[in-house]
Amino acid sequence: MAEQAGPTLITSVQRAMRLLEAVSAHENGAPAKQLARETGLPLATAYHLLRTLVHDGYVRKLDDGGFVLGDKLQTLKTTGRAQALLSRVRPTLGALRDELASAAYLTFYEDGEIRVAEIVDGPGTPRVDLWVGFEDAGHATALGKTVLRELDEEARKDYLSRHQLADLTPRTITSLPELLRRLEAEPMAPAVTDLEEYALGTVCVAVPVYSGDTLGSLGVSLPVNRFSRLQEVRERLLPTASRVTRSLSLTI
């Protein structure tokens, strides 16, 4: 029997990774000749790879000719940390989806916007058609209204000053005083509902979560014929939100 072939490796990628490792070992930078020597690469090869890495932002060349890690790697690190955090809570979101037979959603309030971080759905539990982005529909979704309810007065005022209360369905709240009144008088607090305000035929329930100091919301969407289950859904969401917050607040 023929011996199983190993994986196909791209030598140039391996060399670039070795260079990045070498660059990261020198806090104050190192010249190309030193990096070539440390990685065992021909000087010309090291120059070509470093030039490419500088062009793409993974490495930065200092005025003295040394090379240090670039800003692009910091972006990757930040993104990787976010992915690692989300990987912790996906099983919990999946369990919530299966138990409630509904798509589950996770959002965060970042840089003054309400953004969807994760959606866990399935063939029998489809997500809501996100025909209007959550950044422009915070006033019409349970997930967005949960965040707005939890924000302090100044942050909430800032958000609402930058976002029009668009009329998405006949049930959307487009009056600012009425929206604020309902947020303060929400009967299911700390849970918040969306009763066909974002999409006709769909109701949603959401509760607050935190990732460290970052506010977010956890929610589910249901067909309107399951409206009578909203209180039951709320009782399931609250302990789940506590587990999600604990998972997201652990230090990586």
Side-chain angles (χ1 to χ4, degrees):
M1 181 181 292
E3 190 174 318
Q4 185 175 358
T8 301
L9 303 179
I10 308 301
T11 303
S12 59
V13 175
Q14 291 180 311
R15 290 171 173 173
M17 293 299 103
R18 282 157 54 193
L19 265 179
L20 284 175
E21 291 172 354
V23 170
S24 70
H26 300 279
E27 184 177 349
N28 297 317
K33 288 183 179 181
Q34 181 178 351
L35 295 171
R37 184 170 60 253
E38 292 177 357
T39 55
L41 295 175
L43 182 57
T45 300
Y47 270 125
H48 287 308
L49 289 173
L50 286 167
R51 188 180 301 115
T52 301
L53 292 169
V54 168
H55 178 272
D56 289 345
Y58 295 104
V59 168
R60 181 164 56 92
K61 188 174 183 179
L62 303 175
D63 292 338
D64 63 5
F67 293 89
V68 295
L69 294 179
D71 294 336
K72 183 69 72 67
L73 282 179
Q74 183 58 45
T75 300
L76 290 177
K77 179 180 178 181
T78 301
T79 302
R81 181 178 183 276
Q83 291 176 342
L85 284 172
L86 288 176
S87 70
R88 293 178 174 178
V89 300
R90 284 193 188 98
T92 302
L93 297 183
L96 185 68
R97 173 202 59 198
D98 296 342
E99 181 175 346
L100 297 179
S102 59
Y105 308 77
L106 182 67
T107 74
F108 291 113
Y109 186 67
E110 298 173 317
D111 300 322
E113 300 293 345
I114 301 167
R115 294 172 175 149
V116 177
E118 187 65 276
I119 301 176
V120 177
D121 58 0
T125 56
R127 67 185 66 187
V128 175
D129 179 13
L130 304 180
W131 67 285
V132 175
F134 271 55
E135 292 184 9
D136 297 314
H139 66 293
T141 65
L143 292 154
K145 290 194 290 181
T146 295
V147 170
L148 291 176
R149 189 178 187 279
E150 295 297 315
L151 288 175
D152 61 46
E153 184 176 356
E154 182 178 351
R156 185 191 305 144
K157 182 178 179 180
D158 172 69
Y159 177 90
L160 293 171
S161 71
R162 295 182 285 105
H163 295 80
Q164 181 183 0
L165 304 186
D167 187 3
L168 305 183
T169 78
R171 303 199 59 148
T172 306
I173 303 169
T174 57
S175 163
L176 180 55
E178 178 64 10
L179 176 64
L180 294 175
R181 185 191 70 78
R182 293 199 191 187
L183 290 176
E184 294 299 328
E186 171 59 56
M188 295 181 67
V192 178
T193 59
D194 149 22
L195 306 179
E196 298 186 275
E197 296 159 46
Y198 178 78
L200 291 176
T202 300
V203 295
C204 302
V205 187
V207 295
V209 295
Y210 285 86
S211 176
D213 294 329
T214 301
L215 169 64
S217 57
L218 169 70
V220 297
S221 59
L222 306 161
V224 69
N225 61 12
R226 295 171 65 190
F227 172 81
S228 61
R229 291 192 61 192
L230 291 189
Q231 186 63 41
E232 174 191 343
V233 171
R234 174 192 185 274
E235 297 309 312
R236 182 67 184 88
L237 275 174
L238 289 171
T240 303
S242 296
R243 288 199 295 276
V244 168
T245 292
R246 286 196 298 271
S247 296
L248 292 173
S249 298
L250 293 174
T251 301
I252 293 181

